[in-house]
Amino acid sequence: MEILALVLSSSLASAVISTVLGGMISGWLKRIDYADEYYRQVLQRRIEAYELLEAEIGILKQSCLADDGKAYHLIFAYGINSFYDLQKGLMAVMAKSLWLSDELQDIVVSINRELLDASFIAQDDEELVNVGKEKYQKIASLRHQLEQRFSHDIGALHQIKYFLKKKAKSKHEFSLFEINSHVNS
């Protein structure tokens, strides 16, 4: 009888321990799966934002020389409506800026400010080209910074924990863009 009691109690203890350990391991694995799925979702959103930005960079890379020898980005030559389309694209990128690095976000904001400024100055297609000539160096410099930062970020896009920690500590604030001084009366 003692042997039977011993076997039953050790079997019962073994079953209890197996169940408890199995439950703990199962819970641990579910938490890992949850975290992995969360990181996959964050990565996917980051990829979507960077894809939008990549298209805008491609548009900003196209430049030409005018008859007077001054350079300007072609987006200034396609007319005001196409220019507004570029701005809409940048606004779409800015709407997803939560998924961009702070450094990249700052450059996108700077380019957008230059383009907004141009849109408030130019009243027709000819003025738009002239404004494009005036802003060529500034926009070209910002676009270069944008490409460099974009390339840097792409190499670290998968580092989700680092990105989230950095975003949590971010003090990024948008400053207002004053348009009153730019609007023609």
Side-chain angles (χ1 to χ4, degrees):
M1 270 316 207
E2 288 179 24
I3 294 175
L4 183 60
L6 185 62
V7 168
L8 285 176
S9 65
S10 68
S11 295
L12 182 60
S14 177
V16 168
I17 291 171
S18 293
T19 302
V20 169
L21 281 176
M24 290 172 58
I25 290 171
S26 175
W28 180 69
L29 290 173
K30 283 182 181 180
R31 282 191 301 277
I32 289 174
D33 285 345
Y34 176 80
D36 286 347
E37 181 57 31
Y38 173 73
Y39 291 142
R40 265 193 287 280
Q41 291 294 321
V42 171
L43 179 60
Q44 184 56 42
R45 292 203 178 198
R46 293 197 74 203
I47 289 170
E48 290 169 5
Y50 279 77
E51 285 174 342
L52 283 174
L53 183 55
E54 183 180 26
E56 300 305 304
I57 291 171
I59 293 169
L60 288 171
K61 287 179 84 161
Q62 303 169 10
S63 301
C64 67
L65 283 176
D67 293 338
D68 61 5
K70 293 183 179 178
Y72 61 97
H73 293 89
L74 280 177
I75 193 62
F76 288 91
Y78 295 145
I80 288 181
N81 290 333
S82 292
F83 190 75
Y84 290 153
D85 288 342
L86 172 67
Q87 286 182 293
K88 287 178 194 173
L90 280 175
M91 291 295 186
V93 170
M94 289 177 65
K96 293 183 176 271
S97 65
L98 177 64
W99 308 108
L100 302 175
S101 70
D102 289 342
E103 298 84 2
L104 195 62
Q105 182 179 358
D106 288 342
I107 300 167
V108 170
V109 168
S110 295
I111 289 174
N112 192 47
R113 286 175 182 260
E114 291 300 319
L115 297 178
L116 278 171
D117 187 53
S119 71
F120 290 125
I121 295 171
Q123 299 300 312
D124 59 31
D125 293 350
E126 186 178 329
E127 282 184 11
L128 187 61
V129 170
N130 290 332
V131 172
K133 291 175 189 178
E134 292 171 18
K135 293 189 168 290
Y136 177 76
Q137 288 300 326
K138 179 71 174 176
I139 293 172
S141 175
L142 287 169
R143 191 213 65 240
H144 180 71
Q145 291 173 35
L146 184 68
E147 285 181 289
Q148 286 184 318
R149 189 66 215 188
F150 184 92
S151 296
H152 176 271
D153 284 7
I154 289 296
L157 209 58
H158 65 286
Q159 295 173 349
I160 302 300
K161 285 182 182 180
Y162 173 76
F163 169 75
L164 292 173
K165 281 182 185 179
K166 197 168 177 186
K167 273 295 191 183
K169 294 177 183 177
S170 174
K171 302 264 190 242
H172 197 278
E173 295 179 14
F174 287 103
S175 57
L176 296 175
F177 179 72
E178 193 172 317
I179 62 172
N180 294 338
S181 62
H182 298 291
V183 176
N184 295 337
S185 300

